[in-house]
Amino acid sequence: MQFLKFILAGTVFGIVMAKSEAISWYRIQEMFRFQSFHMYGIIGVAVVTGVIGVYLIKKLGLRDISGNPIVFLPKEKSVIRYLVGGSVFGMGWALSGACPGPMIVNIGYGYTALVIVFLFSLVGTFLYGLVMNRLPH
Amino acid sequence: MQELLTQSWSWWFSGLVIAATMFVLLFFGRTFGFSSNMRTICSMAGAGKKVSFFDFDWKAQRWNLYFLVGSLIGGWIAGTFMNPNMPVQISEATISDLSLLGFSEPAGLQPDEMFGREAILSIKGFALLALGGLMVGFGTRYAGGCTSGHAISGLSNLQFPSFLAVIGFFAGGLLMTHVFFPYIF
């Protein structure tokens, strides 16, 4: 039963991503062309709500359901990997119109062509693991 | 009620639910970050025998795979029971820009020119999807996260590295859209 809550959280996430059209290639194009507020609204509300919530969790010292303190691990300090890796990701995001979550939601929705995108994202992940020691981080 | 099922949902509701997803996972003792699943799946497939990056205890990441299965189910529910067969409501400006690249007006959530049977069976169409996937998979691990891990989880925790990653996401997206698209399509 442990896993059921994660399936349920994913299901809600998937329904909302699909119903708010955030999984649409067209919406991603519209965003990168600055022709609508829609995607900026989604990300903006999520981040503002997130910032307030994370602040409160820290301030109030909230604990998770097992009673452990909720900890936030700081991201590793660097510049190159975030800018370069981020840019490669961004090019793929604009081309395929889907980041990792929406790829899966799209496959469930019935856009099975995204299986190709997802399989190749696994190949891309593997390639990174293969060459990571030779890349600047 | 019928309308709630068939019409598209607003941006603010979507943003709130995405933040709620992050909080729910935090209260489950986990961190919202979808692309970690790709590393996990590589590891499950045995990549750890060849490449040390994939040699880790993937079983501790099973919860995230359940989340992935859930999002697959969520997509299926939306596509099967809540699908209005209505075209995505993008702006006229985008429709007109895309028509110059050979894309017809939206008939659903995704363009046939990218994801239709004819497109994926063509060499160019298949290559574009493969290239897009490769770049997403490679880039997300190089940057240490995707939209959920950096733009949502990282920015919510005011992480400067995540801010840099999001700048990268947009730099890459703008480059692809405004510089490469006219050559590709």
Side-chain angles (χ1 to χ4, degrees):
Chain A
M1 293 307 279
Q2 267 296 314
F3 63 90
L4 211 59
K5 58 181 190 283
F6 295 111
I7 292 190
L8 204 62
T11 305
V12 172
F13 171 75
I15 291 176
V16 173
M17 290 299 277
K19 288 303 292 177
S20 61
E21 302 176 341
I23 63 167
S24 166
W25 183 93
Y26 291 110
R27 283 291 188 193
I28 305 303
Q29 270 302 298
E30 191 184 47
M31 173 179 78
F32 284 131
R33 292 170 190 276
F34 302 104
Q35 286 163 337
S36 165
F37 177 71
H38 189 81
M39 289 305 300
Y40 294 99
I42 291 177
I43 299 171
V45 167
V47 171
V48 170
T49 312
V51 168
I52 297 169
V54 169
Y55 172 80
L56 288 176
I57 288 173
K58 288 179 178 171
K59 183 93 176 167
L60 303 173
L62 296 185
R63 288 166 180 271
D64 66 23
I65 47 169
S66 324
N68 300 315
I70 295 176
V71 286
F72 297 91
L73 296 175
K75 305 270 184 197
E76 177 195 329
K77 293 241 182 309
S78 163
V79 174
I80 291 183
R81 70 174 299 181
Y82 297 116
L83 287 181
V84 178
S87 299
V88 174
F89 173 88
M91 287 193 284
W93 187 16
L95 182 57
S96 63
C99 40
M103 281 179 199
I104 299 297
V105 181
N106 265 300
I107 294 169
Y109 197 92
Y111 289 110
T112 42
L114 272 293
V115 170
I116 300 170
V117 183
F118 182 68
L119 287 179
F120 275 90
S121 75
L122 295 177
V123 176
T125 301
F126 180 73
L127 286 178
Y128 169 75
L130 213 54
V131 301
M132 61 184 290
N133 292 331
R134 276 174 270 168
L135 295 172
H137 276 81
Chain B
M1 190 61 201
Q2 188 69 20
E3 275 190 2
L4 195 68
L5 289 179
T6 54
Q7 292 197 341
S8 63
W9 294 356
S10 69
W11 49 269
W12 60 265
F13 182 72
S14 181
L16 285 178
V17 173
I18 292 169
T21 302
M22 178 183 75
F23 291 132
V24 163
L25 292 177
L26 283 171
F27 281 108
F28 290 164
R30 320 287 175 178
T31 308
F32 184 33
F34 203 97
S35 65
S36 302
N37 283 315
M38 292 164 169
R39 184 184 176 207
T40 305
I41 294 170
C42 285
S43 181
M44 284 170 70
K49 291 188 198 110
K50 290 216 164 75
V51 182
S52 62
F53 180 62
F54 301 105
D55 186 15
F56 68 103
D57 178 24
W58 62 265
K59 286 187 177 160
Q61 291 292 314
R62 265 185 304 200
W63 69 270
N64 211 347
L65 294 174
Y66 292 130
F67 185 84
L68 181 149
V69 170
S71 57
L72 192 70
I73 296 170
W76 176 74
I77 291 173
T80 309
F81 304 108
M82 309 163 90
N83 182 359
N85 287 313
M86 249 173 36
V88 56
Q89 301 292 304
I90 52 166
S91 71
E92 285 300 323
T94 310
I95 294 176
S96 128
D97 277 10
L98 290 174
S99 76
L100 294 175
L101 298 173
F103 287 86
S104 48
E105 268 190 53
L109 282 181
Q110 303 291 16
D112 273 346
E113 291 86 349
M114 284 295 295
F115 305 106
R117 172 179 277 269
E118 204 177 314
I120 64 174
L121 292 179
S122 74
I123 293 174
K124 182 185 170 183
F126 184 88
L128 290 181
L129 296 186
L131 185 66
L134 273 176
M135 289 194 290
V136 168
F138 187 91
T140 190
R141 274 294 50 83
Y142 195 178
C146 63
T147 336
S148 49
H150 277 309
I152 309 296
S153 292
L155 289 187
S156 292
N157 191 27
L158 304 175
Q159 291 292 302
F160 185 66
S162 293
F163 179 66
L164 289 177
V166 173
I167 288 179
F169 295 168
F170 270 84
L174 293 175
L175 188 70
M176 176 57 73
T177 300
H178 297 279
V179 179
F180 296 141
F181 263 32
Y183 293 99
I184 294 175
F185 297 105

